[in-house]
Amino acid sequence: LERSGRFLLIVDGLNEFKNYAAVVTSLSKLAEVVAKSTMLITCRTAEYKGIQGFEEWEIRELDTVAQEAFLKTQPPKVAKAVRATLEREPHLQAECKNHFLFLIAVELIPRARNTAFSRTDLYRTFIARYLQWEHIERLERTRLINLLARIAFTMRQSQRERTTISDSTLMTLLTDEVGRRDAAHLKRDLYKHGMIETNGRTSRFFQETLQEYLCALFLVNNGILPYQFLRGVNNLSYDGVILNDVIRSFYFELGGFSRLLAVKSGLRDD
């Protein structure tokens, strides 16, 4: 296949590796080995630092035209409620340029009692409504969300990748919380309903931003304050977890910290 040019190699989630530079070097060498074939590498735009010799393409964000085109396919009451909220809250409309968040907004806004939304609100409500499974009664929902936050934080502590843990480590975390029998049921439900995915060896949340939200929630729930963060050369960290811009923004929203506090603490560059 490679000699005929029909081999397609896909590397998904370049930004999920902790040692970005080393991985890029390895991929560049690999590209030389499979020079006759096609190599596709994906990476979060905000964390992309470039790879020489590759063409670059970026997935287009949802602009207002695309959002409106989708809303026209929805029931009139749903479309009306979403339009009104997005018009009233321009910051939310900006967040909904993200395809996943826009779909969450369309699902949640018409059913919500409150009229104000943020990205954090969308994820919080999404998780609360998503966790409606047959075995949820075995574990109080708030306790389960806290457990998911602990799992997310443990994933970020990985020395190699920031988004996965071994299936056995996941089982250990679940067992420590609910016992072996209920852990087996809970693990099955996490896989069955798609909250966490597995390849048979490692597990990961179905979306990285969801994992980052839960990681920030772990920090807030455990009373971790900004002064406890460690400052590196180009980043902040806590207990081995690098706090990227996404985690930090969720952390400050969830913790109710003011923008002024963030600036004074030197935790933001703007």
Side-chain angles (χ1 to χ4, degrees):
L1 286 176
E2 201 285 319
R3 286 195 297 269
S4 66
R6 294 185 294 123
F7 182 66
L8 173 61
L9 177 62
I10 301 176
V11 180
D12 183 35
L14 177 60
N15 59 286
E16 296 176 12
F17 290 92
K18 282 194 171 181
N19 196 335
Y20 182 99
V23 174
V24 166
T25 299
S26 297
L27 291 176
S28 297
K29 292 179 180 178
L30 179 60
E32 295 176 0
V33 175
V34 294
K36 293 183 179 180
S37 297
T38 300
M39 192 170 180
L40 176 65
I41 303 172
T42 69
C43 183
R44 177 182 284 174
T45 301
E47 298 180 53
Y48 179 64
K49 302 174 185 177
I51 307 178
Q52 289 186 345
F54 284 79
E55 293 184 32
E56 298 178 354
W57 298 78
E58 184 175 355
I59 295 177
R60 182 180 178 183
E61 294 182 330
L62 286 177
D63 56 21
T64 54
V65 176
Q67 291 174 358
E68 179 58 29
F70 181 81
L71 289 177
K72 288 180 179 179
T73 68
Q74 301 302 297
K77 289 185 178 180
V78 171
K80 182 179 179 180
V82 175
R83 285 193 194 100
T85 301
L86 295 183
E87 289 173 1
R88 186 174 60 251
E89 302 186 41
H91 72 281
L92 181 60
Q93 189 169 56
E95 294 285 2
C96 285
K97 290 180 180 179
N98 178 289
H99 299 66
F100 179 69
L101 285 181
F102 181 64
L103 291 177
I104 295 179
V106 171
E107 172 66 21
L108 298 182
I109 288 176
R111 303 180 181 184
R113 296 179 180 178
N114 59 312
T115 58
F117 291 90
S118 66
R119 181 179 59 168
T120 300
D121 293 326
L122 291 178
Y123 273 104
R124 180 188 297 114
T125 309
F126 168 75
I127 292 174
R129 292 191 176 178
Y130 195 93
L131 300 180
Q132 298 180 13
W133 313 327
E134 55 203 83
H135 288 100
I136 193 68
E137 296 178 359
R138 297 177 180 269
L139 190 63
E140 195 269 333
R141 185 168 298 158
T142 299
R143 186 180 169 198
L144 175 56
I145 293 174
N146 291 339
L147 174 58
L148 292 175
R150 181 184 173 198
I151 292 170
F153 190 82
T154 303
M155 288 179 178
R156 302 298 292 195
Q157 289 178 310
S158 170
Q159 295 302 308
R160 187 176 179 186
E161 294 184 44
R162 304 181 302 183
T163 57
T164 64
I165 54 174
S166 67
D167 288 353
S168 60
T169 299
L170 174 63
M171 188 62 181
T172 298
L173 291 171
L174 297 178
T175 301
D176 288 347
E177 183 67 30
V178 301
R180 180 165 295 276
R181 186 182 67 177
D182 285 345
H185 291 304
L186 183 54
K187 183 180 180 182
R188 182 192 64 192
D189 280 350
L190 289 170
Y191 290 155
K192 175 182 176 181
H193 297 283
M195 176 63 75
I196 290 179
E197 303 170 337
T198 179
N199 60 12
R201 299 184 304 276
T202 60
S203 297
R204 60 183 292 160
F205 285 94
F206 74 90
Q207 196 216 24
E208 184 179 3
T209 309
L210 173 63
Q211 184 226 45
E212 290 165 322
Y213 164 82
L214 289 168
C215 185
L217 183 64
F218 176 88
L219 294 172
V220 172
N221 286 350
N222 284 274
I224 307 305
L225 298 175
Y227 75 85
Q228 295 174 270
F229 298 160
L230 297 178
R231 180 179 294 278
V233 177
N234 297 311
N235 57 58
L236 296 167
S237 66
Y238 177 78
D239 197 16
V241 174
I242 294 176
L243 307 178
N244 63 15
D245 290 343
V246 178
I247 295 175
R248 283 159 52 186
S249 63
F250 276 134
Y251 170 80
F252 282 105
E253 285 185 43
L254 287 166
F257 299 103
S258 69
R259 185 179 181 83
L260 178 60
L261 174 61
V263 173
K264 284 187 175 182
S265 300
L267 301 180
R268 298 182 65 120
D269 299 327
D270 56 346

